[in-house]
Amino acid sequence: MTEREAMQLCLELARRGWGRVAPNPMVGAVLLNDNEVIASGYHEEFGGPHAEIKALQAAADPQGSVCVVNLEPCTHQGKSPPCTEALIKVGVSRVVVAGSDPNPTAAGGLRVLEEAGIEVEVGLMRDEAAALNSPFLWNQTRTDVPFVALKLATSVDGFIADSDGRSRWISGEQSREWVQWLRAGFDAIAVGRQTAESDDPELAVRGDVVPRKHPTRLVFTKSGKLRPNLRILSSVAAAPTKIVEVVGPAGQRNLDPVDGIDVISTETLLSAFHRLRELDIGSVLVEGGGRFAAELLGLNLIDRFYWVQAPILLGRGVPAFGKRAGTALSEVENWVVTERRALGKDTLLVLDRALCLQV
Ligand code: AOF
Ligand code: ZN
């Protein structure tokens, strides 16, 4: 196996930490000896051993091997001793990393390794590794708003619901299963009032990945009104739930209190996202609807799209994005395709804002 293939394997292993390691990054490590994999490991649980330690523990004789890992090994005494120390102690000959660690507490590993006489290479599959850990990287530098991803399932002609407002089911079964996996990795899942009322989703996580913490369910409302018998509001024991009421400059609160549900009242939608970040919500998955999505886009708050395209044409219906200001083609922002694959009969496209990948 080449070092590049080993890095690819690191990313696949790292991804197994989805839903379990946040706010830590997802990290995988592979030890190579003469281009043969002698051991591998990944960061499995928040607070648990780091990827390099798991790989070293799994190796019979790691001395002289090459350690391939998608994040700079840490230097800090955290919940476990520093990975750099462990790598130096067993005498690995070379360390290949995808990108450096922007967390000031853990950073500096590459220099420490070099000073110990270990050959170091940085940058192999940097973009792929950055895309994997965008929410982590975002939260290291941006402490004002969470990382926000928008998930949308549309017809080929760009509708999220038919002309009667029905959206069940545009996407196929496999896509819906994948959404369960996706939700598990976010701190919060959000919908606008209209979607909460027309789809009445529970926003639960019922997939194979049991999240370390169930994502907080968020319903955004501007009018302050919310039908009281919604499934989200009547299943508050199932998951943390908050209503975000954007009250505007007049500041009038309209919402009747609902048992077991926190209400966040803010003047603007942007200040609501500031408030969420203050509450330690570092990543939000927005699941609709079109108007809410358009508003978030208008505020430049969306960092990632998960777009599921179903092979159907509706002709008329609810557009994926409500009214937005136009942009000339010459001035348009280019998004980076970080994933493109089939989900059964549907097609998944993941787009990241270019700035999220600059690390
Ligand atoms: C690594 N390998 O597998 C991971 C690293 O709280 P701790 O002690 O687990 O440290 C968490 C920090 O360590 C995290 O914020 C990030 O900077 C780094 N993560 N480093 O060498 C790993 N998960
Ligand atoms: Zn470490």
Side-chain angles (χ1 to χ4, degrees):
M1 179 178 281
T2 62
E3 288 179 353
R4 194 181 179 82
E5 286 164 344
M7 187 62 84
Q8 180 64 44
L9 179 57
C10 287
L11 297 179
E12 283 162 27
L13 291 169
R15 205 183 263 267
R16 294 191 196 166
W18 182 254
R20 303 296 314 176
V21 301
N24 277 358
M26 290 173 280
V27 185
V30 170
L31 296 176
L32 294 176
N33 212 338
D34 285 336
N35 294 332
E36 293 285 335
V37 177
I38 59 162
S40 63
Y42 67 99
H43 186 41
E44 296 174 22
E45 284 292 327
F46 177 82
H50 286 179
E52 300 90 320
I53 306 300
K54 293 292 283 184
L56 290 173
Q57 282 169 352
D61 183 14
Q63 198 191 355
S65 64
V66 176
C67 177
V68 180
V69 54
N70 61 295
L71 188 75
E72 174 181 37
C74 67
T75 51
H76 71 302
Q77 173 67 48
K79 298 182 187 73
S80 40
C83 292
T84 38
E85 192 180 284
L87 292 165
I88 294 166
K89 203 160 146 202
V90 305
V92 298
S93 61
R94 176 173 156 80
V95 175
V96 180
V97 312
S100 46
D101 187 345
N103 174 6
T105 314
L110 296 175
R111 195 177 30 83
V112 171
L113 294 167
E114 262 174 347
E115 281 168 7
I118 296 172
E119 191 182 311
V120 167
E121 187 186 313
V122 59
L124 181 63
M125 300 187 74
R126 186 193 296 271
D127 290 353
E128 290 86 342
L132 177 72
N133 278 316
S134 281
F136 164 77
L137 298 171
W138 176 270
N139 280 288
Q140 294 307 310
T141 50
R142 295 287 303 258
T143 49
D144 55 340
V145 287
F147 179 85
V148 182
L150 174 70
K151 186 224 90 188
L152 67 164
T154 76
S155 60
V156 169
D157 45 359
F159 296 110
I160 55 171
D162 67 15
S163 48
D164 292 328
R166 277 185 301 246
S167 61
R168 291 210 159 103
W169 297 107
I170 286 188
S171 55
E173 210 179 308
Q174 204 166 316
S175 301
R176 300 202 302 272
E177 249 170 52
W178 165 81
V179 168
Q180 294 297 327
W181 173 87
L182 185 67
R183 286 177 179 167
F186 283 85
D187 292 345
I189 316 171
V191 288
R193 179 184 65 84
Q194 281 203 318
T195 299
E197 295 194 340
S198 61
D199 291 6
D200 198 11
E202 201 187 325
L203 300 182
V205 181
R206 280 184 233 91
D208 295 341
V209 175
V210 178
R212 187 170 73 87
K213 286 191 204 157
H214 195 294
T216 299
R217 301 174 305 172
L218 303 171
V219 183
F220 283 76
T221 172
K222 258 200 231 167
S223 67
K225 296 198 174 64
L226 216 48
R227 215 174 66 215
N229 61 347
L230 293 178
R231 285 170 73 201
I232 296 180
L233 305 186
S234 51
S235 60
V236 289
T241 310
K242 293 187 199 300
I243 298 172
V244 184
E245 188 189 17
V246 179
V247 291
Q252 190 177 347
R253 294 183 59 159
N254 292 310
L255 209 69
D256 293 331
V258 186
D259 277 349
I261 297 185
D262 293 339
V263 177
I264 298 174
S265 284
T266 60
E267 202 174 297
T268 64
L269 188 53
L270 181 61
S271 51
F273 278 81
H274 289 151
R275 185 80 193 105
L276 292 173
R277 186 67 185 82
E278 280 165 19
L279 292 171
D280 241 7
I281 292 181
S283 62
V284 180
L285 178 67
V286 175
E287 297 208 23
R291 267 197 233 170
F292 186 39
E295 275 191 66
L296 295 173
L297 260 181
L299 290 171
N300 214 14
L301 275 171
I302 295 181
D303 307 304
R304 172 176 288 178
F305 286 100
Y306 293 100
W307 180 28
V308 176
Q309 189 196 55
I312 54 170
L313 287 110
L314 285 166
R316 280 183 341 127
V318 181
F321 300 102
K323 271 219 172 76
R324 301 194 52 232
T327 311
L329 195 50
S330 54
E331 279 159 35
V332 84
E333 177 186 358
N334 276 302
W335 291 66
V336 182
V337 177
T338 52
E339 206 178 335
R340 193 191 264 139
R341 68 183 164 107
L343 282 173
K345 66 180 179 62
D346 303 328
T347 307
L348 169 68
L349 187 66
V350 184
L351 302 176
D352 279 32
R353 251 162 95 171
L355 70 90
C356 293
L357 303 174
Q358 284 162 8
V359 280

